[in-house]
Amino acid sequence: MSSRWWYRPGIAVLAALGIVLGGSGVSGAAPPAGGSQAQLVAARAAAKGKPIEIGAVIDETGFMTPFDRPALEAAQIEAQRINKSGGVLGRPIEFKVYNDQLQPTLTRSDALKAIAAGAKILWVTCDVTYATPAIEVGLAHHMLVVSPCTGTNELGPARFGKPGRLAFSFGNAPQAEAAVLARLFKQKGWKTATVVTDKLLTYFVDVCKSFTADFQKQGGKIVTQLTFTTGDHTVTQVAQKAANSGAAGLALCANDASPTLPAFVTAVRTLGNTKPIAGPWSLDGDFWEPSSPTISNNIWWDTYASVFGDDPSSAVRAMYAALKAKGEAPATGGFVSGPSALQGIVAAIKKTKGSLVGPKLATAIQHFKNVPTLSGPVSFSAKWHVQISRPLRIIEVRNGKPHYVETLSPGKLAAAGT
């Protein structure tokens, strides 16, 4: 897929998309189809106030690029749509993008550069550990800090203490994804599981840890726990143990941005294990799948949206189509987290009557309850600065072809005590 960093690093900024999302709290609607040219010109002219500048300190060349870049590209499309519709209370949105290359020193200096260039809000990479230098800079300047898809509640007070009240992720909590996966196992009658964790990211560890708790809470039995780390050259041995474990299904929390995932699946299937392999959003996309339909079969994952032309949301399909028309079709459903994060920022600005003061915006976001966005309803609280109740798409790969199956909500999170 062209949006993946190993295919083409120079991804262009895309044109605006005229998607109208209903519901309160979402960015202003575009002029209706069939509106006069005068109406369109008036709408564009309305966004002539001082720009609302968002400093995006993200990875554009490393292994977080598959998560960071599509979300930002889609958010830029949404920003252009908002600007053409009159902006946010008459002010256009501008992104200033910095490639931090996942280097701590550069991440910190890029955040400082963004602030010096006028950014009032910081947008950070989708892993809290790599984003921490930028987060700390933003919090020290009392700014709102947002990640579109960090999969942990650590982007908030849980990791950063009281200053962390200014930081939020529009990604899914690992506990939420784990609960959805546990529901899937129960629904399909997979009563035993072998859990395999890539320890590369906290996100992978947390999802599989939470899945274990939820699965056991629902009466499931864990046969064995296996781990590897991307790059440690042990994935084949781990796959052999998993294939021979006798479990009804494999819960796999791993990295689709490395060759370890197809190596694991190939090894398991080659050993004759045809049982389900299921995992979180990090498995999303068909770009990593082995070409053999007998190997790429009976694989499941949860995700924000389907990129296979069958998502149940017409707005999601329209956004995907706009990206695809530009030759930049996103490889995973995580792209919708970008527009959703921006829609959340816009809703907070409107709620505070145009304020860009970090604590005011954070208070508004903390009180979100089912605010509609492209990725579905979003909610936050003093405890949870990440999504724990958003419904997720379930994708199944059957004979090499992924397709949307259903939408499942997390329900009660056994691993989180909620």
Side-chain angles (χ1 to χ4, degrees):
M1 296 291 180
S2 57
S3 63
R4 290 290 172 165
W5 63 269
W6 54 85
Y7 282 90
R8 180 159 43 133
I11 298 177
V13 175
L14 304 174
L17 169 67
I19 293 177
V20 180
L21 290 174
S24 61
V26 184
S27 54
S36 69
Q37 184 62 30
Q39 288 176 315
L40 295 173
V41 171
R44 293 188 180 98
K48 283 191 173 181
K50 185 177 180 181
I52 297 170
E53 296 185 4
I54 301 175
V57 181
I58 64 167
D59 176 30
E60 294 191 291
T61 50
F63 72 85
M64 288 302 297
T65 306
F67 309 108
D68 289 352
R69 200 153 185 168
L72 179 64
E73 289 170 352
Q76 288 173 320
I77 288 177
E78 176 66 7
Q80 292 179 40
R81 185 195 70 77
I82 291 169
N83 294 344
K84 286 187 175 182
S85 300
V88 184
L89 304 179
R91 300 178 64 178
I93 297 169
E94 289 185 2
F95 278 95
K96 293 185 177 179
V97 185
Y98 302 81
N99 179 15
D100 65 13
Q101 303 174 51
L102 301 181
Q103 298 178 17
T105 301
L106 184 58
T107 300
R108 183 179 185 278
S109 65
D110 279 348
L112 290 170
K113 287 178 183 178
I115 295 170
K120 301 300 181 184
I121 296 167
L122 275 187
W123 180 289
V124 298
T125 191
C126 289
D127 179 76
V128 68
T129 300
Y130 289 108
T132 288
I135 296 168
E136 290 177 340
V137 168
L139 298 183
H141 285 77
H142 309 291
M143 298 171 65
L144 178 69
V145 179
V146 167
S147 169
C149 53
T150 292
T152 173
N153 195 40
E154 291 184 34
L155 187 59
R159 179 168 181 146
F160 297 98
K162 187 175 180 180
R165 69 189 188 280
L166 301 177
F168 298 86
S169 172
F170 283 74
N172 299 309
Q175 294 90 343
E177 290 201 70
V180 167
L181 290 174
R183 285 191 63 191
L184 177 65
F185 268 67
K186 183 176 182 180
Q187 181 175 289
K188 297 298 180 182
W190 308 331
K191 297 181 179 180
T192 59
T194 284
V195 180
V196 183
T197 306
D198 179 353
K199 297 191 293 183
L200 179 69
L201 297 180
T202 301
Y203 163 70
F204 303 147
V205 175
D206 286 351
V207 173
C208 267
K209 180 180 178 181
S210 297
F211 169 82
T212 298
D214 276 88
F215 186 60
Q216 291 175 326
K217 184 77 171 181
Q218 295 183 24
K221 179 182 177 181
I222 302 298
V223 174
T224 186
Q225 296 270 1
L226 302 171
T227 65
F228 66 92
T229 302
T230 292
D232 70 3
H233 308 294
T234 66
V235 68
T236 300
Q237 296 95 304
V238 171
Q240 290 172 344
K241 293 178 181 178
N244 296 322
S245 67
L250 306 181
L252 175 63
C253 303
N255 186 9
D256 66 1
S258 82
T260 56
L261 182 55
F264 178 91
V265 172
T266 298
V268 168
R269 295 297 188 236
T270 300
L271 288 167
N273 187 316
T274 61
K275 294 175 182 177
I277 299 173
W281 169 54
S282 60
L283 269 61
D284 194 8
D286 61 358
F287 58 92
W288 63 265
E289 293 177 17
S291 58
S292 170
T294 58
I295 290 177
S296 295
N297 190 43
N298 204 13
I299 301 171
W300 307 70
W301 61 75
D302 65 59
T303 185
Y304 297 82
S306 173
V307 293
F308 307 108
D310 56 359
D311 192 273
S313 166
S314 60
V316 169
R317 296 195 303 272
M319 176 66 84
Y320 177 86
L323 289 165
K324 184 177 180 180
K326 295 296 180 180
E328 301 295 350
T332 84
F335 73 94
V336 299
S337 68
S340 296
L342 182 58
Q343 289 160 359
I345 291 170
V346 169
I349 293 172
K350 290 182 176 181
K351 183 71 174 178
T352 58
K353 297 180 171 38
S355 176
L356 297 181
V357 176
K360 290 185 178 180
L361 293 175
T363 297
I365 292 176
Q366 183 175 300
H367 287 90
F368 279 6
K369 299 298 180 187
N370 295 319
V371 172
T373 73
L374 186 62
S375 66
V378 298
S379 302
F380 294 98
S381 67
K383 178 180 179 181
W384 292 101
H385 280 221
V386 68
Q387 297 308 298
I388 63 170
S389 59
R390 174 195 280 143
L392 300 176
R393 313 294 198 247
I394 298 297
I395 306 296
E396 177 193 6
V397 181
R398 185 184 305 158
N399 299 322
K401 297 182 179 180
H403 65 280
Y404 167 78
V405 175
E406 62 182 320
T407 299
L408 290 179
S409 297
K412 183 177 176 61
L413 309 185
T418 63

